[in-house]
């Protein structure tokens, strides 16, 4: 069987399959309504099946029901000739993941938007599939700040995530190069901070520029639509508003947010190149009140009950340069008034303020592993990106962790050492490398390992100028990552990569049907290359765990 991610157990196939046709009915028990809607709208449209409501015992029909003997995201799919297809889930999400498996069993045509073989009756192999995820948090970060992804692209990626049983979309909404979410009380964030006059093409050392203005943002209703669309697919959307660094776009719109005593912030514009800007937020009460206003609107748009991890709000906290604070009398005064040791402690105070602010509103702060420096409130969680060390430290301190080390699961890193790879960035991370990634660090005891909520692949878009480039960097590696996050795989060296490659042969046809511009196994197609555009390749193997 060619399922991705691989299920825990399969019995069969044995005997004839289960045909689906005009007469096939769909019965949905209480709590399965989202999957019922998805099956009719997506699977029904792809195969030209009406999937009319019918009784539970309809011969040859599809049945959806909850089963409290299963874990919340676990499911059991039974397909038997004469009986039909039954999907039991421990919770609504489990039923939905079972429906995703059903779609794969029906072949690549089930991934299209309309029938291409209307005279061919689809069928489900006769078998039983039992499955459950290894990790609760199975995430994908989309950086929509560096290069904006219009709403339709985000909705498309939610569908691609659902097809791979991923359940957390981390939206990186703000950075030096752009602000992508409407905040009604601060209109200049979209009037000024949401676009830049030009864009560096390639790595920041590249001499090339795209002189076309670049920008865009999501309105309140766009965000509500994204969150609702995700919730229908049992996906949590975690927004990231980056503080106190990566904030030049916001300062360009509201210069009083910056360190005005050392920089003429009124002369700043949204940054048009890559790297880490030295223009960071000033540690003032006015800045805190401004961002509290931002987060108040963010909490309204991203309700805590939308899906499992919807209570989380990401505050960034990474790569905050301290040169301006070191020269700023305002910053020095704040350090003295608070009795802090230095500028590093000032950043910890800044993050701690929003940790307490979010906690008081029933939300959970999550940030990059730099937020560990100086201590965290007990409920805060950590995205471990600078290797495994941050995740290990966080877990041992009792904090929940999402493992996303850049050396393994930053999908903007190049996929092969060849010169044809477009804008080569970072380490070579092949499909096999991602398949052998292990999210749980060595050295954690059982209690500490339970703090690893799961794992996440990150797609940063400095050199990904459009949707086709995002597809190329994400796929097929995101399929390997999805299996690492979902399936109960053995230790990395013992994983059957040859079997995964065999199953990918079928999965490429599904990706074709979905219109994904993935990197072919043989290398980039001519139009996927970017000849003459410099990158930043890193030679040698990544650090060990």
């Amino acid at each position: 069987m060619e399922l991705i991610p691989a299920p825990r157990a399969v019995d069969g196939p044995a005997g004839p399959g289960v045909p689906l046709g005009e007469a096939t009915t769909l019965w949905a028990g209480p709590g399965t309504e989202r999957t019922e809607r998805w099956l009719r709208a997506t699977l029904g449209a792809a195969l030209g099946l009406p999937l009319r409501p019918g009784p539970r015992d309809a011969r040859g029909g599809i049945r959806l029901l909850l089963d409290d003997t299963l874990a919340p995201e676990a499911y059991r799919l039974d397909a038997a000739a004469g009986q039909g297809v039954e999907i039991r889930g421990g919770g609504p999400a489990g039923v939905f993941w079972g429906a995703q498996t059903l779609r794969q069993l029906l072949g690549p045509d089930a991934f299209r938007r309309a029938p291409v073989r209307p005279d061919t009756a689809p069928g489900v192999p006769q078998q039983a599939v039992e499955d459950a995820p290894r990790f609760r948090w199975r995430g994908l970060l989309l950086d929509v700040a560096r290069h904006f992804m219009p709403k339709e692209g985000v909705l498309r990626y939610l569908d691609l995530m659902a097809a791979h049983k991923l359940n957390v979309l981390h939206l990186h909404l703000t950075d030096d190069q752009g602000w992508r979410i409407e905040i009604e009380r601060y209109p200049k964030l979209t009037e000024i901070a949401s676009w830049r006059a030009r864009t560096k093409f390639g790595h920041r050392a590249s001499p090339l520029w795209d002189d076309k203005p670049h920008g865009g943002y999501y309105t309140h209703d766009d965000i509500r639509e994204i969150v609702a669309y995700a919730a229908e697919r049992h996906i949590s959307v975690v927004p990231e508003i980056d503080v106190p660094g990566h904030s030049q776009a916001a300062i360009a719109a509201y210069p009083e947010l910056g360190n005005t005593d050392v920089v003429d912030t009124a002369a700043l514009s949204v940054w048009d190149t890559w790297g880490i800007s030295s223009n960071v937020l000033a540690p003032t009460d006015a800045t805190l009140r401004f961002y509290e206003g931002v987060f108040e609107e963010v909490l309204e748009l991203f309700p805590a009950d939308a899906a499992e991890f919807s209570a989380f709000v990401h505050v960034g906290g990474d790569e905050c340069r301290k040169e301006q604070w070191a020269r700023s009398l305002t910053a020095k005064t704040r350090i003295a008034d608070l009795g802090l040791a230095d500028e590093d402690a000032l950043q910890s105070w800044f993050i701690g303020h929003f940790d307490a602010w979010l906690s008081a509103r029933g939300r959970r702060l999550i940030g990059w592993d730099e937020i560990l420096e100086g201590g965290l409130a007990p409920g805060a969680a950590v995205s471990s990106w600078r290797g495994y060390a941050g995740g290990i430290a966080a877990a041992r301190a009792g904090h929940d962790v999402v493992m996303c080390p850049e050396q393994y699961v930053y999908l903007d890193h190049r996929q092969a050492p060849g010169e044809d790879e477009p804008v080569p960035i970072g380490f070579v991370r092949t499909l096999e490398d991602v398949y052998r990634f292990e999210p749980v660090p060595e050295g954690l005891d059982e209690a500490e390992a339970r703090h690893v909520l799961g794992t996440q692949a990150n797609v940063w878009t400095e050199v990904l100028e459009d949707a086709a480039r995002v597809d190329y960097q994400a796929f097929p590696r995101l399929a390997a990552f999805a299996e690492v996050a979902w399936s109960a795989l053995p230790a990395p060296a013992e994983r059957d990569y040859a079997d995964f490659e065999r199953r990918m042969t079928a999965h490429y046809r599904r990706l074709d049907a979905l219109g994904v511009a993935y990197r072919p196994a043989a290398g980039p197609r001519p139009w996927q290359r970017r000849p003459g555009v410099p990158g930043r390749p890193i030679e040698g193997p990544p650090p060990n765990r």
Side-chain angles (χ1 to χ4, degrees):
M1 188 171 55
E2 297 163 334
L3 297 177
I4 288 177
R8 295 202 170 191
V10 179
D11 292 327
V18 179
L20 303 183
E22 281 282 326
T24 299
T25 59
L26 174 59
W27 178 85
T32 69
E33 294 82 4
R34 288 179 175 178
T35 302
E36 177 187 18
R37 289 192 291 269
W38 181 86
L39 280 170
R40 286 205 177 95
T42 304
L43 199 61
L47 300 176
L49 302 177
L51 298 179
R52 299 181 180 88
R56 176 173 178 174
D57 58 356
R59 193 170 177 82
I62 299 172
R63 300 179 295 280
L64 311 175
L65 63 156
L66 300 183
D67 183 343
D68 61 11
T69 67
L70 299 172
E73 289 193 279
Y75 68 88
R76 179 181 173 91
L77 185 155
D78 287 286
Q83 301 299 313
V85 178
E86 181 175 277
I87 300 174
R88 293 175 174 266
V95 177
F96 183 70
W97 305 133
Q100 296 296 331
T101 295
L102 172 63
R103 188 188 195 186
Q104 290 198 18
L105 292 171
L106 284 164
D109 287 353
F111 290 80
R112 296 189 179 275
R113 295 189 183 186
V116 293
R117 295 172 180 81
D119 299 330
T120 302
V124 185
Q126 182 168 277
Q127 55 196 282
V129 180
E130 292 190 16
D131 204 3
R134 180 186 178 192
F135 293 108
R136 290 167 54 206
W137 184 301
R138 305 179 301 279
L140 171 68
L141 176 144
L142 284 179
D143 170 16
V144 297
R146 272 55 174 269
H147 277 101
F148 179 62
M149 178 179 285
K151 180 198 68 178
E152 288 302 318
V154 176
L155 300 179
R156 172 176 175 264
Y157 258 82
L158 287 166
D159 281 328
L160 292 173
M161 290 174 65
H164 292 84
K165 300 185 173 73
L166 299 173
N167 70 339
V168 179
L169 173 62
H170 175 168
L171 268 186
H172 183 76
L173 290 165
T174 72
D175 216 296
D176 299 309
Q177 296 86 2
W179 183 284
R180 305 299 179 206
I181 179 171
E182 177 187 36
I183 302 297
E184 290 180 344
R185 72 189 72 185
Y186 303 130
K188 292 181 182 177
L189 289 174
T190 46
E191 292 169 5
I192 295 173
S194 70
W195 70 277
R196 57 183 181 263
R198 63 174 187 170
T199 298
K200 176 69 72 173
F201 191 29
H203 182 250
R204 61 181 175 269
S206 168
L208 306 175
W209 294 89
D210 180 352
D211 289 319
K212 179 178 69 177
H214 178 86
Y217 63 90
Y218 308 113
T219 66
H220 276 204
D221 283 346
D222 289 339
I223 293 292
R224 292 186 181 104
E225 181 182 357
I226 288 167
V227 170
Y229 195 85
E232 280 287 299
R233 288 146 184 79
H234 300 278
I235 296 172
S236 304
V237 184
V238 175
E240 181 181 352
I241 306 295
D242 219 327
V243 297
H246 288 289
S247 298
Q248 182 167 323
I251 297 168
Y254 291 92
E256 64 272 21
L257 296 174
N259 297 285
T260 57
D261 56 348
V262 296
V263 176
D264 180 10
T265 55
L268 292 177
S269 59
V270 177
W271 217 23
D272 57 12
T273 189
W274 315 125
I276 307 169
S277 172
S278 60
N279 291 294
V280 302
L281 298 176
T284 64
D285 289 342
T287 298
L288 297 180
R289 299 296 87 78
F290 182 97
Y291 273 86
E292 286 170 3
V294 169
F295 282 119
E296 282 175 3
E297 292 193 26
V298 167
L299 297 193
E300 177 190 346
L301 295 170
F302 295 86
D305 59 354
E308 180 181 6
F309 293 108
S310 298
F312 282 93
V313 176
H314 207 291
V315 300
D318 62 314
E319 298 179 326
C320 179
R321 294 175 61 172
K322 311 297 195 303
E323 300 98 308
Q324 291 182 4
W325 285 355
R327 295 161 48 209
S328 167
L329 179 60
T330 300
K332 290 179 184 295
T333 302
R334 177 67 86 176
I335 290 170
D337 290 347
L338 294 171
L340 302 176
D342 54 21
E343 289 80 15
D344 289 337
L346 185 61
Q347 179 179 347
S348 296
W349 165 82
F350 200 107
I351 296 296
H353 173 86
F354 287 103
D355 192 352
W357 191 91
L358 288 167
S359 295
R361 289 156 181 79
R363 307 302 283 265
R364 292 187 66 184
L365 178 145
I366 184 169
W368 303 109
D369 54 55
E370 287 96 328
I371 70 171
L372 281 167
E373 299 158 7
L376 284 176
V382 171
S383 302
S384 184
W385 75 276
R386 295 179 298 176
Y388 285 86
I392 293 170
R396 286 178 175 166
H399 295 288
D400 288 340
V401 180
V402 176
M403 295 302 305
C404 47
E406 65 166 330
Q407 302 89 347
Y408 298 90
V409 289
Y410 271 32
L411 299 186
D412 51 318
H413 284 201
R414 55 195 172 133
Q415 302 183 65
E419 294 183 0
D420 286 340
E421 290 303 308
V423 196
I425 296 292
F427 296 109
V428 173
R429 295 286 82 193
T430 66
L431 183 64
E432 182 172 2
D433 291 330
V434 174
Y435 190 68
R436 297 194 188 280
F437 164 60
E438 172 50 47
V440 178
E442 295 173 353
L444 296 182
D445 63 28
E446 185 176 340
E448 293 164 346
R450 282 197 292 271
H451 281 293
V452 179
L453 292 175
T455 183
Q456 179 173 289
N458 295 344
V459 180
W460 301 102
T461 62
E462 287 94 336
V463 299
L464 311 184
E465 72 276 7
D466 56 29
R469 284 287 289 119
V470 173
D471 277 7
Y472 179 90
Q473 293 300 133
F475 289 97
R477 292 182 297 181
L478 194 63
F481 173 82
E483 184 147 311
V484 168
W486 176 278
S487 303
L489 297 177
E494 300 168 6
R495 293 177 188 172
D496 190 348
Y497 180 67
D499 178 70
F500 176 76
E501 280 191 305
R502 179 188 63 78
R503 287 181 286 120
M504 275 302 301
T505 301
H507 199 65
Y508 284 121
R509 296 176 61 205
R510 299 175 191 132
L511 296 178
D512 287 333
L514 287 165
V516 176
Y518 59 84
R519 180 191 189 275
R525 297 180 171 97
W527 57 88
Q528 292 174 320
R529 301 166 188 161
R530 296 292 185 275
V533 182
R536 187 182 64 93
I538 299 174
E539 301 303 329
N544 293 324
R545 297 197 284 143

